[in-house]
Amino acid sequence: MSKQKEKVIRSEYIPDVGSDIETIDGKDYLVTNDAMYTFYRRTKGEFSPFFLALKDEKKLLGCKCSKCGLVRVPPFLTHCPDCNFAPTELIEVEQVGVMNSTPPITYFATSLFQHMAPYGRGRVIFKGADTALSVILYTTTGILVPGIINKGTEVKLVFKDERIGEITDVFCVPASELTEEQLKKKGLTESEIDWESPVEPELSDVSDKDVSAYKKALEEIKTIIKGMNSNERARKDIAGWKRDIQVKVRGGQFAIIMNDGDIGIKEGEIKSPDFLMVCETPQTLLDGLAYRGAITDAVINKKLWISKNMEFNTIFKLDRMARSLVRSKKT
Ligand SMILES: [Zn+2]
């Protein structure tokens, strides 16, 4: 089966033809969707060998000065400015390296990078190189949160299965999350990595008090979810979105089922959920759904864990539904 070709502008960012009315100070104004666009082609020029090596050979190249021997990765110079512009030559470097700094994590990216978030962005000095390469960072252990990758963490370069010759064709994961063979392998691809068995955080022991707190919170959550399900604005936030989320908290578990605008709760354990959400206290989730604090913040602050990094998007949608529900009550 051939995959539909991706467009330069992702289809979800292209607004529908249409218009709506915005009311400001009691007056109605008509607002129409329109577009202005320019497409262009650009060459990688003399950097082409570096990008072609990533794309076609799954190799990481640097340039070595013929005089001082300094190896720069990426190979952004053809002549060394420190050696009276002596020529450099392209050489291959290793695909394991060390973080040069603790990477910041982007959770809320611009539209161009939204489909990749959350991701870390940091500089890595690969074995055989003297300078650091700026790369995107991920973890295989679930959601990327501060503390997983730090300055000095050993990381491994991973190649995407589909590459077009951009620096985003590659990313890094902590070396400690891979097997010995994977670490040794040159040109390790993302599909060779196990993304499906993240380590679930353990919940502390359950008391009777926890169980009753859970039951109480669940009733409140059910009421909010019911409200969302019958709220037009909130329904719009998950139009076209389908997710079965298993929620585990101290005291019990239930599932949130999203299905193209519909949202509901199922008690107990469900079969093959899309991802897991684990939090110590149900109050964390309840507060988020009640718009008393964002669930995305709870994730970033490590109060709520999700098993798949890319499902941060779904968490973001839950926050939007909470906001939609509160806003429609106000108006
Ligand atoms: Zn030099």
Side-chain angles (χ1 to χ4, degrees):
M1 201 175 74
S2 70
K3 211 180 134 194
Q4 208 189 343
K5 270 206 164 176
E6 237 179 76
K7 301 295 183 193
V8 177
I9 297 175
R10 297 170 75 85
S11 63
E12 62 260 42
Y13 302 142
I14 302 174
D16 296 329
V17 171
S19 61
D20 51 61
I21 289 165
E22 257 185 50
T23 308
I24 300 168
D25 296 333
K27 282 186 183 168
D28 287 347
Y29 297 92
L30 182 65
V31 183
T32 311
N33 288 341
D34 218 323
M36 182 165 61
Y37 42 79
T38 313
F39 297 104
Y40 62 97
R41 284 157 61 79
R42 61 176 170 165
T43 172
K44 294 283 193 282
E46 59 201 4
F47 304 121
S48 295
F50 172 75
F51 291 103
L52 282 169
L54 287 183
K55 178 178 173 280
D56 297 332
E57 297 173 84
K58 291 186 276 179
K59 280 182 180 174
L60 181 61
L61 299 184
C63 63
K64 186 177 181 176
C65 170
S66 55
K67 215 166 171 191
C68 69
L70 193 82
V71 177
R72 294 174 170 98
V73 176
F76 57 88
L77 292 171
T78 54
H79 292 77
C80 181
D82 301 331
C83 300
N84 208 12
F85 298 99
T88 63
E89 55 161 352
L90 288 172
I91 60 155
E92 190 187 353
V93 297
E94 300 288 316
Q95 298 181 1
V96 173
V98 171
M99 294 304 305
N100 201 21
S101 56
T102 298
I105 301 170
T106 301
Y107 290 97
F108 306 101
T110 59
S111 58
L112 208 55
F113 300 104
Q114 213 172 43
H115 63 286
M116 292 158 57
Y119 56 83
R121 190 155 181 85
R123 293 166 66 81
V124 178
I125 298 180
F126 288 93
K127 275 181 199 162
D130 295 303
T131 66
L133 176 74
S134 184
V135 289
I136 298 277
L137 300 145
Y138 287 113
T139 175
T140 62
T141 60
I143 184 84
L144 184 63
V145 287
I148 295 177
I149 305 169
N150 296 309
K151 181 179 179 175
T153 300
E154 195 181 36
V155 294
K156 166 81 176 174
L157 192 71
V158 181
F159 292 79
K160 284 193 184 163
D161 293 312
E162 280 177 38
R163 298 180 300 279
I164 55 166
E166 293 280 1
I167 196 62
T168 45
D169 283 352
V170 291
F171 58 88
C172 282
V173 298
S176 60
E177 294 176 10
L178 302 175
T179 64
E180 205 55 45
E181 291 89 85
Q182 286 175 326
L183 270 183
K184 271 188 208 147
K185 184 168 182 180
K186 268 192 185 175
L188 182 71
T189 55
E190 62 176 334
S191 56
E192 292 174 275
I193 295 180
D194 179 13
W195 299 95
E196 299 295 326
S197 28
V199 186
E200 209 180 304
E202 268 181 55
L203 296 171
S204 48
D205 288 343
V206 182
S207 67
D208 290 348
K209 216 175 135 193
D210 293 328
V211 175
S212 58
Y214 164 74
K215 281 183 180 160
K216 191 170 168 276
L218 182 60
E219 286 315 305
E220 289 181 57
I221 288 170
K222 274 185 186 166
T223 308
I224 294 170
I225 296 283
K226 226 176 173 181
M228 286 173 173
N229 197 46
S230 53
N231 181 278
E232 204 187 319
R233 259 193 199 179
R235 291 180 65 90
K236 250 188 177 175
D237 293 331
I238 51 163
W241 206 253
K242 233 181 126 151
R243 290 290 188 280
D244 294 351
I245 314 163
Q246 182 73 56
V247 184
K248 295 183 180 179
V249 297
R250 199 171 56 201
Q253 60 176 313
F254 61 94
I256 297 175
I257 312 289
M258 291 177 168
N259 190 357
D260 190 16
D262 286 335
I263 184 162
I265 296 278
K266 254 188 205 164
E267 286 191 51
E269 196 168 3
I270 56 162
K271 266 187 199 167
S272 49
D274 293 301
F275 70 100
L276 298 182
M277 192 190 273
V278 180
C279 62
E280 195 59 35
T281 140
Q283 195 66 34
T284 308
L285 181 61
L286 175 58
D287 284 345
L289 293 171
Y291 203 55
R292 292 189 295 256
I295 311 171
T296 44
D297 282 345
V299 172
I300 296 166
N301 297 324
K302 303 189 213 178
K303 285 182 181 156
L304 190 146
W305 177 85
I306 56 173
S307 60
K308 282 187 188 162
N309 192 59
M310 291 305 164
E311 294 296 349
F312 189 74
N313 231 324
T314 305
I315 301 300
F316 188 56
K317 283 179 193 288
L318 270 176
D319 274 340
R320 286 187 69 160
M321 292 181 91
R323 191 181 63 185
S324 293
L325 189 61
V326 168
R327 286 201 177 161
S328 4
K329 276 181 187 161
K330 275 185 189 157
T331 51

